[in-house]
Structures are given as C-alpha cells and as structure tokens.
Amino acid sequence: MEEKKFDFNTIIGFGLIFIIIMWMMYNGQKTSQNEQLEKARITQDSIQKVKEIAPKKSAIIALDSTVTDSAKIKQLQGTLGSFAYSSTLPSAKDNFTILENEFVSLKIANKGGYVVEAILKKFEKFKKNSGQLVELIKDNNASFNLQLQTKDNRVLNTKELFFEPTLTKLGKSQILSMKLKTGANQFLEYKYVLVPNKYLVDFDVRSQGLNTVLNTSKPIDLQWNMKSFRNERSVAYENRYAEIYFEHDEGKIDYVGQGNNEEENPEKATFIAYKQHFFTSILLTKTPFENAKLHSNNLVIDEKKDTIFTKQYKANVPLAFTNGELDYKMNWYFGPTDYKTLENYDRNLEKIVPLGWGIFGWINKFIFIPLFGFLSSFMGLGIAIIVFTILIKIAMSPITFKSFLSQAKMKVLRPEITEIGEKFKKDPMKKQQETMKLYNKAGVNPMAGCIPALIQIPFMYASFQFFPSAFELRQKGFLWADDLSSFDQIFKLPFHIPLYGDHVSLFPILAAIAIFFYMKMTSGDQAMAQPQQDGMPDMAKIMKVMIYVSPVMMLIFFNSYGSGLSLYNFISNLITIGIMLVIKKYFINSEKIHAQIQENKSKPKTESKFQKKMREMMEQAEAQKQLKNKK
C-alpha cells in the first residue's frame, strides 16, 4: 500500500480559495450594511422632515424623488396626504421651463409652478448699468402661492410643492401646463399661454378630482407677493410713482397709497397691478375676486443711499370653488407702463397711468397724448417737446391776449378806482357800489383777467401729470440730457442738500431764469390791475416776493424731476414772454384803451342780469345798514 505524501500545492490552493471566499463574504456584508444604512438614512430623513412639518399641520412634500417603494409611499401618504404622489414624479426636482417671445422671457419653476424670472427684452435698466435688461422678477423677489386646506384640516402651500410641466407649441404660441398631481387623473393645474408680440400671458387655474381631497366648502387663499426692483436713475423719482393700482366694482380704478403699511380691501376686484414708475406686473381675472386684501410698504428708507428695491407689495385674495373645483381664467402682464400699450389690451389697464382726475385727465387723454404721439412718431423726442410746447402756447394765445388786455384796461382805470377809494374811505359798501358803477360805465369786467388765467391752469397741471408718465421719454436723450425721463445732471455735488439733492440739473435752472424774467415783466401790470381793498394785503408787495420765490421753488422741486418736464416749462415760459412782448407792442395801446373807456362812459349802458343782481344785493345791504344805524 502506497504511503500518502503531504501535498504542499494542495494546501496552498485551499488557502487561496479560503482567502477569496472570506474577501467576498466581507465585501458582501459591507455592501449590505451600506445599503441598510442608506435606506435607514433616507427613512430617517423623511421621518425627520415629517416631524418638522407636522406641528404646523402642513402637508409640504418632503419626500425625495428617489423613494419609489410603493409600500413606503402609501405609509407616508397617511401623514403627508394624497399630494405625496407628486413627489415621486420626475418633475420633483428644481427644474425650470422657459417661455419667451419677442417682448418677454419668463422662467417658470417646477417647484411652486409660478414665474420666478420675468425679463423684458426690449428695455434696459438706467444708463449706469447699460446693457442690463429690465428684470421685474428675479432672485426670489416674488412668490405666488395657493394655500389649500385638506378635508382633515391640513394645510398645503403650493409654492412648496412640485408641479409636472408639459410644454407644447401651437404655431408660434407656447402652452405650458403645470400640474400638481394627487393621482393620474387628479390634479391642480396652472396653464400658461404665451403668444407672439404680447406682454399679456393667459393664466388659467383649475382643478380636477380634488373635491375628494380638499375642503371645498370655503374659498382658498391666493397669495401674491413682490418686492419691486429699482430700474431708474433716480430712486426718489421712481419711488414717487410706484404703488398698487386695482380695478374693482365694475370698472372703478383706485390705488393703495405710497406710505408705510398702506392697506386697501376692495370688493369685486378684476385686476391688481404692482406698478413701478415705467414698468408694471399685473394679475387679471375674468371672474372677479369677491374681496382682496392689498398691502404696500415703502422700502426706500434713505433716498440719499443706493437701493435695490423700492416697494414691498402683497395681495391676498380668495378663489372660490365651483361645483367642488377651481376654474379661473386669469392673465399675467409683465411689461411697460405705457398708455398706448396698455390701452391695446382693452382691459382698462391704461387707467393705471396717472394722467390726473377730471378735466386734467381729459386734456391729457384727448389732447396731449394724441398730439405728442403724432409729433414723436417722426421727430426726436427733445424736438417733439419743443414743437409740442409751441403748438400748445399758440392755441392758448387768444386767452393770453384777453388776459393781458383786461390787465391793461384795469391799469388805465386804476387812478379812478383809487380816487373812489379815497372818497368813500369810511363807507366800504358805498365804495364797492361806485366801483361797480365805474366798471359798468367803462365796459370793463374785473373778472376778465382772472378767467383766462383759470382756463390755463388745467393745461399747466395736465403737463405736470403727462410728462412724468410719458414712457416714450425713457432713456431718450436731448442735448446734454441723456434721459428725458430723469434729471439732467451736469455736476455731481460732494454733499447732499436737503430738498435739492446731491447734483445740479441744468434745465430746471433755465426754467427758473425764464420764470424770473416773466414775473419781473408782468408783476407790475398784475399789481396795477388789482384794486386795493381795505384790510387786504398789498398786491404789489406780494408780487415782488413771488418774483423771487417762484424761481427758487422751481430750482428745488424740479432738480430731481424728469428733464422733459423742465424742458417743457423752460420753453413754455420763453414762448409766453415772446407772446407778451408781441401783444404789448402791436396790440395793446394804453392811450387808445383810455380813449375807448372814456367813450364807453358816455354811452348808455344796460345792466346784465348778473350786474343787476349784484347791484340789488348791494342796495339791500346798504338799506339794512342805514336802518340799523337809525335804531
């Protein structure tokens, strides 16, 4: 029998096999432990997030999109609600969809389903940042949220939930459907439709099959918040025209106010506009909001300092369910606050442009806007302002002529009026009667000089509303002014002067000089034209003070205003001075006026109804006075 010998090679082979098996077992165990730890971590994170949310009774989606185990989803749905379904979709990531046409570029986020970036492609920010487009929404300055309530009294904030995007194109139109799903056929949908060459975006909000999930017995809250970016050169000037406008009660337009913590609660609101100076974000609805809570807060604490935001806007409105579902046809507008652009949409939006109330608004709407629009269509904006001013002043020249003629007549009568005053110094009533008789005999109406001036006031006030609102002037230069919608700085001051600012604008200086010479030339005639009444201040002294006060006020208040308005005032006063010189030289002769007055005195006069009534009232007052003295 052969003796078995020790095989060294066999032992080495078994040893290697043992080592390989142990290595495989070790790595297999390590992988299994890592997988268990990872699963435990995911579960723990999800549970921790649920714990953080639960005290607030909120069903905000906290599930990671990698959790796909149906058993775990069903288990967590009991805590988070049916909207946990949407967190398992591929859209449950911070992705975005871009809608854009020739005018706007909109970025809509999956999370929240709302516009997180709105850029106007045709407009740049103030010249300091030339090349940077106007951004109405960016870097989380705005949010849009529907606050839903489930049947078991939990709260859902849509801005925290993930929507599933579906983008389709129909010709040049783009349609984006954003769905927040609770199941395959149960969802809340935001639908955006952007067509070419428009700033207005269709925005529908509707639900399907959510009446089994949500409490539909009361409306849900729509919350729209925004901090408005600064887009213009002058912070103070831009902020002066930034506020919330709204339409309510079947066509009425109103605004919230510009102070701190201003609020309004309109009923039947059909649009809410977050207006800046030259740009606006508007939410419109075809189904009026039953009521709305609007809030505006001023963010410009110190106008001397640079700033990013001007106003904080907030709106809270209810969306009512119809047959257990939401169905609202709405629109977004992100664009310029331009009267003609807004008017083209035929939604009453042009009324957010502040043109003034009553007759001032009519002058702007039916005279200034059409005339200036026509002129600016074929000439530069600076030249258009000059031609516009010349045409307005020529149209007003007959009224100006009547005003100067009345002043000349009153100046001629001044000596006789003074004589009557001295003669009846102790009898004011008799003095008034004799003065009225003199006016009647001379054929002079003491109100004739006031009425033309009153007629011109609405046109002057209308110009103060028109030029700051004229979008056409934005970033259009003329001479040394690089932007007619902002101040025309020629020198930067190393310090800040209260009310005046930290710069020197030239057009207000020129306008102030023109006002000074105009008042210097007319103050004497105006003072002479006004009869001195007992107990009344001396008009000559008042006019002398106004000669210096008016130019100073022009310098102070217009230094930070748009240079287009200052240019208009400068040209307007120059033209008025010219017209006045022409009228005085060629149309008004004091000697002829005096001769005409004397001739009128010799002619028999018939009293007008007004003059007769005034005479009778004075005679009755005089009779009562005499009767009282006898007693």
Side-chain angles (χ1 to χ4, degrees):
M1 190 169 153
E2 185 178 26
E3 183 181 359
K4 292 183 179 180
K5 295 183 180 179
F6 182 79
D7 189 349
F8 186 79
N9 291 330
T10 301
I11 295 174
I12 293 174
F14 278 111
L16 291 173
I17 292 172
F18 176 81
I19 291 172
I20 292 172
I21 292 173
M22 293 298 294
W23 180 82
M24 293 176 63
M25 291 177 63
Y26 173 79
N27 280 280
Q29 183 179 13
K30 184 177 180 181
T31 301
S32 178
Q33 288 176 348
N34 287 341
E35 291 176 351
Q36 292 176 7
L37 288 172
E38 180 65 15
K39 290 179 181 179
R41 182 187 64 78
I42 294 172
T43 303
Q44 186 64 31
D45 287 349
S46 300
I47 293 172
Q48 180 62 32
K49 290 180 181 179
V50 172
K51 287 181 178 179
E52 292 174 357
I53 296 168
K56 301 179 182 178
K57 295 183 179 181
S58 175
I60 297 172
I61 301 305
L63 291 174
D64 191 287
S65 60
T66 58
V67 180
T68 57
D69 187 277
S70 59
K72 290 178 181 178
I73 293 173
K74 290 180 180 179
Q75 181 180 0
L76 288 172
Q77 278 181 340
T79 304
L80 297 176
S82 298
F83 280 89
Y85 176 89
S86 65
S87 69
T88 68
L89 300 172
S91 61
K93 298 176 183 177
D94 284 333
N95 289 336
F96 307 93
T97 304
I98 301 295
L99 297 180
E100 62 180 332
N101 59 15
E102 298 83 357
F103 292 165
V104 297
S105 176
L106 305 177
K107 179 189 283 188
I108 295 94
N110 289 357
K111 187 175 182 181
Y114 61 90
V115 178
V116 294
E117 189 174 282
I119 299 175
L120 304 185
K121 300 167 71 173
K122 298 289 185 179
F123 307 104
E124 295 181 0
K125 296 184 72 174
F126 53 97
K127 291 292 184 179
K128 181 180 177 181
N129 293 328
S130 181
Q132 183 178 355
L133 296 177
V134 169
E135 301 163 328
L136 298 184
I137 301 177
K138 192 178 181 182
D139 298 334
N140 299 316
N141 74 310
S143 66
F144 181 85
N145 180 54
L146 299 187
Q147 195 170 81
L148 313 174
Q149 188 172 11
T150 63
K151 287 186 176 295
D152 54 353
N153 294 323
R154 284 174 288 106
V155 174
L156 291 161
N157 289 299
T158 58
K159 66 180 180 180
E160 304 278 349
L161 306 179
F162 288 94
F163 287 67
E164 181 180 7
T166 302
L167 178 63
T168 57
K169 293 185 177 181
L170 185 61
K172 293 184 178 180
S173 298
Q174 302 164 66
I175 304 171
L176 175 62
S177 171
M178 304 290 292
K179 290 183 178 179
L180 176 65
K181 295 185 175 181
T182 66
N185 296 310
Q186 292 177 300
F187 54 82
L188 171 69
E189 182 186 31
Y190 296 162
K191 187 167 77 171
Y192 300 85
V193 180
L194 181 64
V195 299
N197 299 311
K198 279 195 175 183
Y199 294 101
L200 198 68
V201 183
D202 290 344
F203 177 61
D204 296 346
V205 176
R206 74 180 188 95
S207 65
Q208 179 176 304
L210 296 186
N211 53 346
T212 60
V213 178
L214 300 178
N215 180 0
T216 60
S217 62
K218 59 182 181 179
I220 64 174
D221 287 333
L222 182 158
Q223 300 164 348
W224 178 33
N225 301 332
M226 176 184 285
K227 289 197 294 186
S228 60
F229 281 116
R230 171 197 178 184
N231 285 305
E232 308 304 326
R233 185 178 186 181
S234 173
V235 177
Y237 194 51
E238 179 178 12
N239 201 36
R240 189 178 295 121
Y241 295 96
E243 56 190 322
I244 300 178
Y245 277 81
F246 55 90
E247 183 185 53
H248 65 114
D249 292 334
E250 299 181 353
K252 296 179 182 177
I253 304 295
D254 208 341
Y255 55 90
V256 172
Q258 296 183 332
N260 292 320
N261 297 315
E262 296 286 341
E263 284 192 359
E264 288 290 338
N265 298 281
E267 296 181 351
K268 303 293 183 180
T270 45
F271 74 67
I272 299 167
Y274 290 171
K275 179 180 175 295
Q276 298 169 234
H277 187 179
F278 287 123
F279 301 99
T280 304
S281 303
I282 308 175
L283 176 63
L284 306 94
T285 177
K286 292 183 179 178
T287 303
F289 303 129
E290 284 299 318
N291 52 72
K293 183 177 181 181
L294 308 178
H295 179 272
S296 176
N297 191 40
N298 181 29
L299 300 179
V300 181
I301 307 301
D302 189 350
E303 295 179 352
K304 298 188 295 293
K305 297 180 180 179
D306 198 0
T307 185
I308 298 175
F309 303 107
T310 56
K311 290 287 196 310
Q312 170 73 66
Y313 298 134
K314 294 181 180 180
N316 194 310
V317 299
L319 297 185
F321 288 92
T322 302
N323 298 323
E325 300 290 356
L326 289 174
D327 188 10
Y328 274 79
K329 305 293 184 184
M330 296 192 281
N331 298 92
W332 286 111
Y333 175 88
F334 301 105
T337 315
D338 176 51
Y339 186 89
K340 291 182 180 178
T341 301
L342 294 169
E343 188 180 35
N344 288 337
Y345 293 109
D346 196 24
R347 299 287 293 272
N348 221 20
L349 300 180
E350 70 277 3
K351 291 187 178 180
I352 72 172
V353 180
L355 299 178
W357 54 272
I359 189 172
F360 313 117
W362 299 339
I363 291 172
N364 277 321
K365 184 176 180 180
F366 299 112
I367 299 177
F368 283 11
I369 290 177
L371 178 59
F372 190 76
F374 170 73
L375 294 174
S376 61
S377 66
F378 61 88
M379 63 179 66
L381 270 298
I383 301 298
I385 291 175
I386 294 174
V387 175
F388 171 84
T389 311
I390 292 172
L391 293 176
I392 294 295
K393 298 306 290 187
I394 289 176
M396 300 293 290
S397 59
I399 298 175
T400 305
F401 173 75
K402 287 185 178 181
S403 179
F404 287 150
L405 181 60
S406 177
Q407 289 178 16
K409 289 180 178 181
M410 293 294 290
K411 184 179 179 181
V412 170
L413 287 178
R414 177 78 178 192
E416 295 183 57
I417 294 172
T418 303
E419 184 180 343
I420 292 173
E422 290 295 327
K423 184 177 180 180
F424 301 100
K425 184 184 297 184
K426 297 182 179 180
D427 192 346
M429 184 64 68
K430 188 66 175 178
K431 174 185 173 182
Q432 190 69 23
Q433 289 176 344
E434 293 299 320
T435 303
M436 292 297 294
K437 287 180 182 178
L438 175 62
Y439 290 152
N440 187 36
K441 287 180 180 180
V444 174
N445 183 357
M447 298 299 295
C450 299
I451 293 174
L454 291 175
I455 293 174
Q456 295 183 71
I457 288 176
F459 286 85
M460 180 184 68
Y461 182 79
S463 70
F464 280 85
Q465 296 291 110
F466 171 73
F467 284 100
S469 302
F471 185 85
E472 307 97 301
L473 300 181
R474 185 178 185 271
Q475 294 190 354
K476 298 297 189 297
F478 179 65
L479 300 177
W480 57 86
D482 58 4
D483 187 349
L484 287 168
S485 71
S486 187
F487 54 82
D488 56 313
Q489 176 181 306
I490 59 169
F491 182 71
K492 179 74 172 178
L493 298 175
F495 48 83
H496 185 275
I497 301 175
L499 299 179
Y500 185 74
D502 59 357
H503 64 274
V504 177
S505 298
L506 184 53
F507 276 129
I509 295 175
L510 296 176
I513 293 172
I515 287 176
F516 174 79
F517 283 105
Y518 166 73
M519 298 196 70
K520 190 78 171 175
M521 296 171 66
T522 60
S523 59
D525 291 342
Q526 291 174 359
M528 290 291 289
Q530 299 298 323
Q532 182 63 32
Q533 301 290 337
D534 293 335
M536 296 295 289
D538 190 346
M539 284 299 299
K541 292 181 179 179
I542 292 176
M543 295 306 299
K544 185 177 289 187
V545 172
M546 291 302 297
I547 289 173
Y548 300 97
V549 171
S550 297
V552 171
M553 292 176 62
M554 171 64 73
L555 283 175
I556 292 175
F557 293 109
F558 283 79
N559 189 59
S560 294
Y561 264 66
S563 52
L565 179 59
S566 298
L567 173 62
Y568 171 82
N569 285 318
F570 170 56
I571 300 299
S572 177
N573 284 299
L574 281 183
I575 296 172
T576 303
I577 291 172
I579 291 174
M580 182 186 68
L581 291 173
V582 171
I583 290 175
K584 280 189 172 184
K585 184 172 182 179
Y586 296 103
F587 296 96
I588 294 179
N589 187 310
S590 297
E591 293 180 358
K592 288 183 179 180
I593 291 173
H594 185 269
Q596 183 64 49
I597 288 175
Q598 297 306 317
E599 182 181 345
N600 291 340
K601 287 181 181 180
S602 62
K603 295 179 181 179
K605 290 291 181 181
T606 56
E607 290 182 315
S608 65
K609 291 183 179 180
F610 175 76
Q611 290 173 331
K612 183 179 179 181
K613 189 68 176 176
M614 289 294 295
R615 179 179 57 78
E616 290 175 350
M617 290 174 60
M618 289 181 182
E619 289 175 351
Q620 290 176 3
E622 181 66 20
Q624 290 177 359
K625 180 181 178 182
Q626 291 178 359
L627 182 62
K628 186 177 179 180
N629 290 335
K630 289 180 180 180
K631 292 181 179 179

